[in-house]
Amino acid sequence: MKKTLIIAGLLSVFAANAQIVQPAPLVSIPTHDAFFDKLKALCGKAFAGEIAVDTPAAPGFEGALIMHVRRCTDTELQIPFHVGDDHSRTWIITKTGAGLSLKHDHRNKDGSHDVQTMYGGHTVDAGWPNSQSFPADQYSKELFASRGVPQSNGNTWQMYVYPEKFTYRLVREGREFRVEFDLTKPVALPPVPWGYAD
């Protein structure tokens, strides 16, 4: 009996001094979660798109436009944006704990990083369950300035996801570019984007 009491006493001491070990929570808000989840629900599918607005018109988007919601975790979505035979672009949407980040991963054909890559922005407000805006972040502004395109410092990227349509939009003073993808008709999966593995 005495031995049992000693063991029970020791266990209570250990329990009192025990620590719960777990990672810090990745906090988020409902509108960001809803937007992220709407895109995540498309995982594994590809969709064809068309340019809806390109003002002023710029080269580089000739050929079939395909978005592929290719890789999805609870915190990151990888969405390659294929333009004809150009498989250099991947949109990366990440939950950061302070909102959502959008990055543009640009690769060369051999898989190496393009000189202008990982630019993008971060949400600065709640947005909406169906739409989020990503004003250019500081890294992007400094990259654009170093690349001789300071006008891009005013970039805001926007994404809209509705049951029948996904829209990717870039706006800044004097420039608007918008591509709309038909979510009602999945298409054949495109090749693996440059620099990524199966």
Side-chain angles (χ1 to χ4, degrees), residues 9 39 41 43 49 55-56 59 77 96 99 113 122 124 132-133 136 151 190 197-198:
L39 276 175
C43 206
T55 307
L77 306 175
T96 67
H113 294 284
H122 198 284
V124 295
Q132 293 292 331
S133 293
Q151 66 272 23
D198 283 334

Side-chain angles (χ1 to χ4, degrees), residues 74-92:
D74 290 340
T75 58
E76 183 180 279
L77 306 175
Q78 296 178 3
I79 307 174
F81 173 35
H82 302 266
V83 180
D85 294 327
D86 183 340
H87 310 295
S88 65
R89 302 169 176 89
T90 298
W91 302 321
I92 301 175

Side-chain angles (χ1 to χ4, degrees), residues 11-181:
L11 288 175
S12 66
V13 170
F14 289 139
N17 292 320
Q19 294 183 359
I20 297 173
V21 179
Q22 60 184 7
L26 182 66
V27 296
S28 193
I29 62 172
T31 49
H32 293 161
D33 288 339
F35 176 83
F36 188 94
D37 290 345
K38 288 176 190 296
L39 276 175
K40 188 178 179 185
L42 303 173
C43 206
K45 297 179 181 178
F47 306 94
E50 294 183 351
I51 295 176
V53 178
D54 187 16
T55 307
F61 291 92
E62 297 78 27
L65 306 178
I66 305 289
M67 67 172 279
H68 178 196
V69 187
R70 184 170 180 269
R71 291 262 172 93
C72 308
T73 70
D74 290 340
T75 58
E76 183 180 279
L77 306 175
Q78 296 178 3
I79 307 174
F81 173 35
H82 302 266
V83 180
D85 294 327
D86 183 340
H87 310 295
S88 65
R89 302 169 176 89
T90 298
W91 302 321
I92 301 175
I93 300 169
T94 307
K95 288 187 176 185
T96 67
L100 297 174
S101 165
L102 167 65
K103 289 292 183 176
H104 298 73
D105 183 359
H106 282 214
R107 304 292 184 103
N108 298 309
K109 197 167 187 177
D110 65 0
S112 62
H113 294 284
D114 189 88
V115 291
Q116 188 162 299
T117 190
M118 297 310 286
Y119 61 85
H122 198 284
T123 55
V124 295
D125 57 25
W128 302 93
N130 297 94
S131 64
Q132 293 292 331
S133 293
F134 307 88
D137 58 26
Q138 191 60 36
Y139 165 80
S140 302
K141 291 177 181 180
E142 294 185 22
L143 175 65
F144 294 146
S146 72
R147 300 292 304 152
V149 286
Q151 66 272 23
S152 294
N153 286 3
N155 282 5
T156 294
W157 296 272
Q158 298 171 328
M159 288 182 165
Y160 306 81
V161 56
Y162 289 94
E164 297 183 352
K165 183 168 63 176
F166 172 82
T167 302
Y168 168 90
R169 182 179 186 230
L170 161 68
V171 289
R172 67 170 179 259
E173 186 175 355
R175 174 75 172 135
E176 179 179 2
F177 176 76
R178 189 170 82 237
V179 184
E180 296 179 346
F181 297 86

